[in-house]
Amino acid sequence: MVEDLKRKVLIVLTVLLLLSSAQAGSTDRLSGHQCTDFQTANFLRGSKLKVQFLLFTHSSPSCGELILADDGIKNCSFNSSLETKIIIHGFRALGTKPSWIEGLVHAILHSSQVNVIAVDWIYGSTAAYPSAVENVTLLALSISQLISKLLALGVSGTSIHIIGVSLGAHVAGLVGHFHGGQLGRITGYKYLICDHMRAVHLYVSALKHSCLMVAFPCASHQDFLNGRCLDCVDPFLYSCPRIGLQEQAGVNMRKLPKEVKVYLMTSPSAPFCVHHSLVEFHLQKTRNTVTSIEITFFSNSTKDTAKITIPKHQEMGKRLLAHSVPLCQINRVTLKYLPKSQFWRKDESFIVGKFCAAPLPLASNRTTSCLPWNLTLPSKTDISYELPTACA
Ligand SMILES: *[C@@H]1O[C@H](CO)[C@@H](O)[C@H](O)[C@H]1NC(C)=O
Ligand SMILES: *[C@@H]1O[C@H](CO)[C@@H](O)[C@H](O)[C@H]1NC(C)=O
Ligand SMILES: *[C@@H]1O[C@H](CO)[C@@H](O)[C@H](O)[C@H]1NC(C)=O
Ligand SMILES: *[C@@H]1O[C@H](CO)[C@@H](O)[C@H](O)[C@H]1NC(C)=O
Ligand SMILES: *[C@@H]1O[C@H](CO)[C@@H](O)[C@H](O)[C@H]1NC(C)=O
Ligand SMILES: CC(=O)N[C@H]1CO[C@H](CO)[C@@H](O)[C@@H]1O
């Protein structure tokens, strides 16, 4: 069952690392309770699953409050009228606290008034990876018990959001299964599930900069870049997963097929967010050679490039272009035809065609806006046009 869940969701994200530093307090001044940090395990000894639930709140985002097993929730700062985010880390080869956890807790509490419960299963996650996987079911049961206690306090199932990272994502899936399948009380579970640690930093960045990142379900990265996955109407997803804390953040496990890969582009530094546009070039007449056109978007302060390749004998080529400002702020586009000249045959000295662009995700009527004339592109020459897209 765990293997099955492992395959269920795979979100492929590639971004740069942004480590946050860790620090542990002792006693919190406001609430007076003892601050508890994550455990540290020695992988030679640390095979027992010692689960700790640490509560972080808006008033003390740096001080973890240990939720005691019995009636702990009643007598701590947990506020049952707020939403609850449960964070589950993954495999910890070195038996140490994940470096991203504080950054994530802070980013969540900075952007919303919620209860954050970090699940510390450093011990169980430290042994050899297969053992950590074995502990996943036990861990999921123990988290389910905690959730049952929250429900008993009158917390609504839909106000609980599980953020599982890496192996923690599989735990999240299992917890969802226990509650969705058996208790039947939690119907809208929402997850953010990633297969890569760096995705957490992207998530933190999205929270801090409150920019929304949309990821597109797609079979492969090449298909994504070549503009084959343009909308959010995949039958298995209600919408594209959005990285952020918005209402629709995350994907619904029960609607997913065995494996869904989603892709997005990111900028190399924070805030990482980019906007995706589809760019297309339609040739006036097809050619018996491949056609390459370099497209550059300019705003007042940014410049972003992508290359459209039109296969031979085809009329149209398309590509995704990632830009850091919305399409409506792009005021100029340049097109450059790159001929494929070989020494025995010279390529044509110009091409004629139509250029179109559309922001993603595409609206259901799939309208693109085109430069309203037949463009003539001389070889290796930047031809510049104004892009008349007004901000709404
Ligand atoms: C609740 O917590 C406070 C402070 O941590 C402690 O003094 C008190 O005894 C606890 N009450 C119960 C019923 O556990
Ligand atoms: C719980 O949160 C609600 C909503 O923000 C707030 O009105 C209430 O005062 C909080 N309760 C406690 C005990 O802090
Ligand atoms: C870009 O610069 C022009 C001219 O200086 C200005 O009118 C326009 O508002 C600027 N656009 C943005 C999005 O800053
Ligand atoms: C296509 O949809 C967009 C957004 O839903 C709308 O603004 C636009 O007018 C529509 N275009 C046509 C031709 O229906
Ligand atoms: C653009 O090219 C097409 C196809 O050759 C032609 O039908 C159309 O009249 C041209 N439009 C303009 C404005 O030249
Ligand atoms: C609590 C518990 O059962 N922990 C187990 C985690 O996995 C290791 C390796 O399989 C076991 O030795 C532990 O007992």
Side-chain angles (χ1 to χ4, degrees):
M1 185 158 72
V2 172
E3 275 305 308
D4 192 30
L5 279 160
K6 274 180 70 179
R7 280 194 300 269
K8 261 197 170 154
V9 176
L10 176 70
I11 293 190
V12 184
L13 300 166
T14 322
V15 291
L16 287 190
L17 256 165
L18 221 184
L19 291 178
S20 63
S21 60
Q23 52 161 336
S26 49
T27 305
D28 188 60
R29 274 182 300 113
L30 282 177
S31 60
H33 66 73
Q34 192 74 28
C35 298
T36 306
D37 201 359
F38 274 66
Q39 307 164 96
T40 305
N42 175 332
F43 86 102
L44 293 176
R45 292 181 286 125
S47 64
K48 282 228 176 64
L49 181 70
K50 288 203 241 164
V51 187
Q52 275 193 164
F53 298 110
L54 303 180
L55 173 67
F56 296 87
T57 58
H58 201 73
S59 58
S60 52
S62 298
C63 177
E65 193 178 335
L66 185 64
I67 300 178
L68 296 169
D70 309 322
D71 59 348
I73 298 167
K74 276 184 221 149
N75 192 26
C76 71
S77 322
F78 185 86
N79 185 335
S80 57
S81 59
L82 298 178
E83 288 189 5
T84 303
K85 311 282 173 191
I86 301 180
I87 304 171
I88 311 172
H89 66 80
F91 181 57
R92 301 300 305 161
L94 299 177
T96 52
K97 170 180 172 174
S99 60
W100 47 263
I101 208 131
E102 291 200 8
L104 181 55
V105 169
H106 278 245
I108 292 174
L109 289 173
H110 173 76
S111 65
S112 46
Q113 274 262 15
V114 294
N115 305 292
V116 176
I117 297 177
V119 179
D120 165 7
W121 64 295
I122 299 288
Y123 269 78
S125 65
T126 294
Y129 189 84
S131 312
V133 172
E134 281 173 33
N135 280 326
V136 156
T137 313
L138 284 169
L139 174 65
L141 279 171
S142 133
I143 296 169
S144 296
Q145 280 166 3
L146 175 82
I147 291 176
S148 298
K149 283 181 196 162
L150 298 184
L151 297 176
L153 283 182
V155 170
S156 87
T158 50
S159 72
I160 299 173
H161 175 189
I162 301 184
I163 302 170
V165 172
S166 187
L167 194 51
H170 311 310
V171 179
L174 216 47
V175 173
H177 177 78
F178 290 155
H179 283 270
Q182 289 166 22
L183 297 179
R185 294 178 65 179
I186 298 178
T187 47
Y189 254 76
K190 283 167 184 155
Y191 306 96
L192 177 94
I193 296 178
C194 303
D195 82 327
H196 202 288
M197 284 311 138
R198 282 186 256 179
V200 177
H201 302 291
L202 187 141
Y203 188 60
V204 169
S205 180
L207 297 184
K208 279 191 183 151
H209 298 90
S210 60
C211 58
L212 189 60
M213 302 188 209
V214 180
F216 297 84
C218 204
S220 77
H221 194 230
Q222 270 313 313
D223 280 359
F224 171 63
L225 293 178
N226 287 331
R228 298 216 174 90
C229 307
L230 302 173
D231 55 34
C232 296
V233 291
D234 185 287
F236 298 105
L237 292 166
Y238 283 127
S239 66
C240 297
R242 277 141 218 268
I243 318 293
L245 272 190
Q246 276 71 13
E247 201 46 34
Q248 297 203 11
V251 288
N252 186 329
M253 290 289 285
R254 300 214 285 175
K255 296 290 175 198
L256 290 179
K258 275 226 156 87
E259 185 178 286
V260 172
K261 289 185 186 176
V262 302
Y263 296 91
L264 52 79
M265 293 184 186
T266 56
S267 63
S269 58
F272 300 119
C273 314
V274 295
H275 300 263
H276 302 87
S277 281
L278 174 70
V279 290
E280 285 179 359
F281 197 86
H282 300 256
L283 287 171
Q284 199 180 58
K285 54 179 196 288
T286 60
R287 288 152 40 89
N288 56 10
T289 185
V290 167
T291 309
S292 298
I293 304 152
E294 191 181 89
I295 310 292
T296 308
F297 276 4
F298 293 89
S299 76
N300 283 359
S301 55
T302 61
K303 174 186 174 189
D304 297 286
T305 295
K307 198 164 93 179
I308 296 178
T309 302
I310 307 171
K312 61 179 174 184
H313 306 309
Q314 288 194 22
E315 181 265 335
M316 194 263 284
K318 55 187 178 179
R319 188 76 177 175
L320 289 201
L321 199 158
H323 41 99
S324 41
V325 298
L327 183 60
C328 66
Q329 287 180 26
I330 302 292
N331 39 34
R332 196 158 58 87
V333 56
T334 65
L335 294 84
K336 183 156 77 175
Y337 157 51
L338 305 167
K340 286 263 180 313
S341 287
Q342 283 138 343
F343 71 94
W344 68 89
R345 202 191 67 195
K346 214 163 150 37
D347 202 347
E348 285 164 80
S349 59
F350 67 92
I351 55 171
V352 180
K354 188 169 77 162
F355 173 77
C356 302
L360 296 191
L362 285 191
S364 52
N365 56 20
R366 292 178 165 262
T367 39
T368 53
S369 39
C370 303
L371 292 180
W373 51 75
N374 292 333
L375 313 173
T376 300
L377 305 181
S379 77
K380 295 184 200 161
T381 311
D382 276 324
I383 299 292
S384 196
Y385 298 95
E386 299 211 340
L387 200 62
T389 47
C391 288

